[in-house]
Amino acid sequence: MSSSFSHGTSLALPMAIAHRGLSAYAPENTLSAIRAAHEAGHQWVELDVQLLKDGTPVIWHDASVNRCSDGRGRLRNLDLAAARALDVGSWFSARFAGERMATLEEALALIASLGMGLNLELKLSPGHDTRALVEKVVPMAVEVLPVGQLILSSFDPQALRMSRERDGKVLIGLLYDAIPDDWEALAEDVKAVTVHADWRALTRVAASRVTATQRKLLCYTPNDAAAFSPRWAWGVSAVISDDPGIFSEQDLAQSPCTERTLS
């Protein structure tokens, strides 16, 4: 077992991570959502990162800006000035009118200043350059956040392999909808320390295979604590939720995993 994998097995995670920031109460993937998570007492956030046309990494989930801004069009066609002109808060609530798209630099600085942890998803929308994203994002992230407070995750195996090539110590997470039978080959290849799955697609068998390797199993995006509850007994380490505050000590007690703190 490699030294970086050994380090990952001692990774301390809260039982619940704020999905795209505290996105039940603030516009997703914004600085306001990060601050809201911190103010609510949550220790980790999950965010998405993509590149603009000019190579600036920004915190954004969708391939387009249609859903979460007052603009239209594909993110990859915008430069920073055009992206900054968008209002990315009003769609959620008038209280967030004037919120601007966050750059990765801004998000990392805020998270570091608040002493939080970050699960950063490398998002590869159609037409985006995998290597350009990795080469821009990985050095920035590892320079600001220490090992143990940063997980890089992606659905894209190439992005994960390139991330491992770029940095031998960064903690890597595999992202899946349903965990495939051959997941462990990629996990070994990139020395992944976490495996993330859609909670609705998770099976007890798949969960047991992950936990048997001492990797941490994370589930996204449960927003109903009662419906999710039986899965704690399968060895789930943490959930990534829009409203992480709905999970409680009673949920935690059902899980055999102990290297965790409450969010």
Side-chain angles (χ1 to χ4, degrees):
M1 185 178 291
S2 73
S3 59
S4 45
F5 181 79
S6 296
H7 182 94
T9 58
S10 62
L11 172 66
L13 289 173
M15 67 176 295
I17 295 168
H19 181 239
R20 304 178 193 171
L22 194 57
S23 56
Y25 299 97
E28 65 178 60
N29 277 318
T30 62
L31 299 182
S32 288
I34 297 170
R35 293 190 188 98
H38 181 260
E39 290 166 5
H42 304 303
Q43 300 164 5
W44 276 65
V45 293
E46 183 269 352
L47 302 172
D48 303 286
V49 65
Q50 300 188 62
L51 296 185
L52 296 175
K53 178 174 66 174
D54 60 9
T56 304
V58 291
I59 304 303
W60 200 255
H61 177 272
D62 294 0
S64 80
V65 298
N66 299 3
R67 181 174 64 89
C68 295
S69 83
D70 61 350
R72 306 285 296 178
R74 291 192 172 277
L75 183 74
R76 67 185 177 95
N77 293 334
L78 304 178
D79 60 16
L80 183 58
R84 287 290 209 189
L86 300 174
D87 180 333
V88 302
S90 292
W91 70 272
F92 186 87
S93 167
R95 185 160 65 92
F96 296 100
E99 182 90 25
R100 299 304 164 190
M101 189 181 295
T103 64
L104 175 62
E105 183 178 15
E106 290 170 333
L108 289 171
L110 178 58
I111 289 166
S113 72
L114 297 175
M116 301 177 76
L118 170 64
N119 173 189
L120 185 62
E121 180 182 344
L122 302 172
K123 202 78 181 175
L124 275 303
S125 295
H128 286 236
D129 186 319
T130 305
R131 184 166 294 280
L133 180 66
V134 169
E135 291 296 325
K136 181 73 72 168
V137 168
V138 175
M140 289 179 65
V142 300
E143 182 178 357
V144 176
L145 296 178
V147 174
Q149 286 180 237
L150 172 68
I151 299 170
L152 293 179
S153 64
S154 184
F155 285 99
D156 188 308
Q158 185 181 22
L160 297 177
R161 292 188 180 99
M162 289 180 178
S163 295
R164 176 53 70 219
E165 291 170 3
R166 191 66 178 75
D167 191 285
K169 295 182 179 179
V170 69
L171 304 184
I172 286 180
L174 310 187
L175 259 174
Y176 294 109
D177 294 316
I179 299 172
D181 292 339
D182 61 351
W183 69 271
E184 195 170 356
L186 178 60
E188 292 289 341
D189 188 21
V190 302
K191 299 181 177 63
V193 300
T194 59
V195 178
H196 309 210
D198 186 328
W199 76 279
R200 297 162 298 184
L202 184 66
T203 66
R204 185 187 292 270
V205 170
S208 67
R209 288 173 177 165
V210 172
T211 57
T213 69
Q214 300 183 58
R215 292 179 173 88
K216 295 193 181 298
L217 176 61
L218 282 66
C219 285
Y220 67 88
T221 313
N223 293 316
D224 182 330
F228 182 81
S229 184
R231 290 162 179 79
W232 289 113
W234 297 0
V236 173
S237 292
V239 293
I240 302 172
S241 174
D242 297 333
D243 191 4
I246 65 175
F247 296 93
S248 68
E249 290 188 41
Q250 287 72 30
D251 302 310
L252 184 66
Q254 296 183 51
S255 173
C257 299
T258 57
E259 289 182 7
R260 181 196 296 108
T261 57
L262 286 174
S263 60

